[in-house]
Amino acid sequence: MTDLTTEPTRLTDLTARQLLAGYERGDFSPLDATRAVLDRIEAVQPLVNAFVRVDAEAALAQAEASTARWHGREPRGLLDGVPVSVKDIFLQRGSPTLRGSRTVRAEGAWDEDAPAVARLREHGAVLVGKTTTPEFGWKGVTDSPLSGVTRNPYDPSRTSGGSSGGSAAAVALGAGPLSIGTDGGGSVRIPASFCGIFGFKPTYGRVPLYPSSPFGTLAHAGPMTRDAADAALLMDVISGADWRDWSQLAPAPGLYAALTGGAGSTGAEGAGAVKGLRIAYSPTFGNQVPVRPAVASAVRRAVGRLAELGAYIEEADPDITDPVEAFHTLWFSGAARLVEPFGAEQRRLLDPGLREIVALGERYSALDYLAAVDARMELGRRFGRFHESYDLLVTPTLPITAFEAGRETPRGSGQRRWTGWTPFTYPFNLTQQPAASVPCGVDEDGLPIGVQLVAARHADALVLRAAHALYESGAAPGIPGPGPSGPGPTGIPGPGATPAGS
């Protein structure tokens, strides 16, 4: 058996694929891995507050059953025995889904799984816990009246981002290699960028959702993982069909095989996957977005690596103006509809920022909403035309790195809402395109930087292929782990990535 306490072989450092390979060889068991992850959660939870609920007893029972299946050489599905966390937006049988809100009662049967959670169970995954979210996932940072502030693994004084910040922090710190989050305006990609992990927002409908989001067709579900290959494997599981979502796309299995050369591969896997691709590099959306120099430098280096791998790079900006007003109309209207049934006492329990956008959303008319839909359709048309010329669009995921925890916007920025500092993410919720955040370095303070890869609708495999190529080439640094300076002052292992510009 492998020594579980020594570097670099501790189980909490392994990807889902490495865990599965270890189970197959008999090096360790799902029970070993789950115990290690639960110990890791216990160690990091006081420092970052990534989990709202952990059910160790249920997780160990699932792991024990998985261990028996592996011993019998009869594993079930693609993720048998892999520890997975779930954002507390998704229904999970046997566990209250409180969505970061004091308005939701924990009492009840809680006898239904969301589609993605149901698929995880079918494939034998071990569900270790529910991760934190801002109230109803309404903003791009993770703090809520229910569970408090979730902090950044690289510097706990900074935000993890959001709204899937608990999932990002958990994956970054080895509290399970896989998590599933939601993304209505960047909520997978924002925390992935701030926490130095991989986050993927698939084409809308690729991962079925139920119940439907109050934010309508802006909301996507997607994987948050250590790398692109793990995300592709997880996508093959959670994109399974579910009749409860009438807007789901037909299942598209084989994303993992397409990356790694398995059955159904196109032969374009690995670092050569981007050779010949036409890639547009838009560093500022046509000077519309001020980007921190450290971020710009790291993203430019990642683009240079894509060129070295054989992609054709052209600096080109999509023909768009900032669609934030249309996004706000749709987003704030969704928030207003969400709390419409609430009485005065329930509304007093809400996050004050959520109450503010609800008040704005209640002022919009049906004509305002339809005008925002028109703007959205025009934006989609423009990006559709753009992708006639380019296979991929590359931008910074965010123009900044993580700022002070517990704030919606950076101190002194003059910005009112979270959308002010994430202009590269929400446009692709409006257009429903697949988009990923790939870590590409750290800034002078050691905080992670992400590069965003975007493709036309339905070209999910293309985004994953290009991201995988960056990982295979070494351009995407690892997640937080023992770095040259050892553990930081909080006791959280420090990052081993290279600062931008060094």
Side-chain angles (χ1 to χ4, degrees):
M1 298 291 286
T2 301
D3 183 346
L4 307 183
T5 62
T6 58
E7 302 293 353
T9 55
R10 64 181 184 182
L11 294 183
T12 53
D13 288 340
L14 302 183
T15 65
R17 305 181 320 284
Q18 290 169 329
L19 287 176
L20 291 165
Y23 302 159
E24 176 68 28
R25 292 190 303 265
D27 292 345
F28 44 76
S29 72
L31 196 53
D32 295 327
T34 300
R35 285 172 175 157
V37 165
L38 290 172
D39 287 346
R40 186 66 170 153
I41 293 172
E42 186 175 3
V44 303
Q45 176 65 7
L47 301 170
V48 296
N49 187 33
F51 286 84
V52 68
R53 191 170 303 101
V54 177
D55 191 341
E57 183 178 354
L60 290 170
Q62 294 166 37
E64 189 170 7
S66 175
T67 297
R69 291 193 293 270
W70 279 104
H71 283 169
R73 296 293 178 182
E74 294 181 344
R76 183 178 74 200
L78 298 177
L79 295 176
D80 202 350
V82 176
V84 182
S85 61
V86 174
K87 182 180 181 180
D88 197 36
I89 289 289
F90 295 94
L91 292 177
Q92 181 177 323
R93 191 175 70 243
S95 177
T97 299
L98 304 183
R99 297 184 284 177
S101 182
R102 293 180 294 173
T103 68
V104 181
R105 297 179 61 84
E107 298 82 3
W110 300 108
D111 55 0
E112 190 172 22
D113 283 330
V117 178
R119 303 295 84 76
L120 288 170
R121 286 195 201 273
E122 290 167 4
H123 283 263
V126 174
L127 303 176
V128 295
K130 303 293 286 292
T131 56
T132 53
T133 176
E135 194 163 25
F136 302 111
W138 79 270
K139 59 183 175 180
V141 293
T142 301
D143 58 72
S144 76
L146 181 69
S147 55
V149 178
T150 297
R151 300 178 180 276
N152 193 292
Y154 281 76
D155 179 351
S157 73
R158 311 291 184 110
T159 180
S160 64
S163 62
S164 305
S167 290
V171 171
L173 286 168
L178 306 177
S179 193
I180 53 172
T182 59
D183 189 314
S187 290
V188 161
R189 292 159 290 152
I190 294 167
S193 182
F194 277 176
C195 293
I197 69 163
F198 182 74
F200 179 54
K201 179 188 79 67
T203 302
Y204 176 80
R206 180 64 62 211
V207 177
L209 277 173
Y210 173 84
S212 59
S213 169
F215 302 108
T217 58
L218 295 172
H220 304 56
M224 306 183 73
T225 61
R226 294 176 177 272
D227 60 23
D230 263 14
L233 180 62
L234 183 51
M235 279 295 298
D236 281 347
V237 171
I238 63 175
S239 61
D242 195 295
W243 61 266
R244 291 173 293 176
D245 182 354
W246 64 268
S247 65
Q248 67 182 311
L249 299 176
L255 290 174
Y256 177 67
L259 262 61
T260 58
S265 169
T266 62
E269 62 279 353
V274 301
K275 187 175 182 179
L277 290 183
R278 304 162 300 166
I279 297 180
Y281 167 44
S282 179
T284 61
F285 270 177
N287 294 317
Q288 295 183 76
V289 182
V291 176
R292 280 193 55 204
V295 173
S297 175
V299 172
R300 187 173 291 276
R301 285 203 309 274
V303 171
R305 184 57 60 90
L306 291 169
E308 292 169 5
L309 295 174
Y312 298 110
I313 308 293
E314 179 180 346
E315 192 162 319
D317 301 307
D319 177 24
I320 63 166
T321 55
D322 186 358
V324 68
E325 292 305 323
F327 180 81
H328 280 170
T329 300
L330 299 173
W331 194 254
F332 298 171
S333 295
R337 177 67 182 92
L338 169 69
V339 307
E340 185 181 21
F342 290 9
E345 181 57 36
Q346 280 183 299
R347 291 191 178 219
R348 278 193 290 271
L349 296 175
L350 294 174
D351 181 329
L354 178 56
R355 284 202 303 269
E356 289 177 10
I357 71 164
V358 165
L360 293 171
E362 289 173 335
R363 299 174 190 169
Y364 293 126
S365 69
L367 290 178
D368 294 329
Y369 190 92
L370 290 173
V373 171
D374 286 344
R376 180 183 192 180
M377 295 175 72
E378 174 60 17
L379 185 70
R381 185 190 70 81
R382 288 173 183 263
F383 271 109
R385 183 175 62 190
F386 186 80
H387 284 289
E388 288 290 295
S389 300
Y390 301 102
D391 300 303
L392 287 173
L393 169 65
V394 177
T395 75
T397 305
L398 299 167
I400 60 174
T401 51
F403 53 89
E404 182 183 348
R407 296 184 55 86
E408 184 182 345
T409 61
R411 190 180 298 276
S413 68
Q415 295 161 343
R416 180 62 178 159
R417 297 267 76 100
W418 61 271
T419 43
W421 50 265
T422 182
F424 291 114
T425 61
Y426 56 78
F428 303 108
N429 294 84
L430 289 165
T431 63
Q432 303 185 340
Q433 293 170 245
S437 180
V438 184
C440 63
V442 295
D443 70 6
E444 62 277 5
D445 294 321
L447 297 169
I449 296 165
V451 58
Q452 181 174 232
L453 309 178
V454 185
R457 290 177 75 246
H458 310 293
D460 301 68
L462 184 57
V463 173
L464 291 168
R465 271 176 43 202
H468 184 55
L470 286 174
Y471 278 99
E472 290 283 284
S473 72
I479 63 171
S485 60
T490 61
I492 299 177
T498 303
S502 63

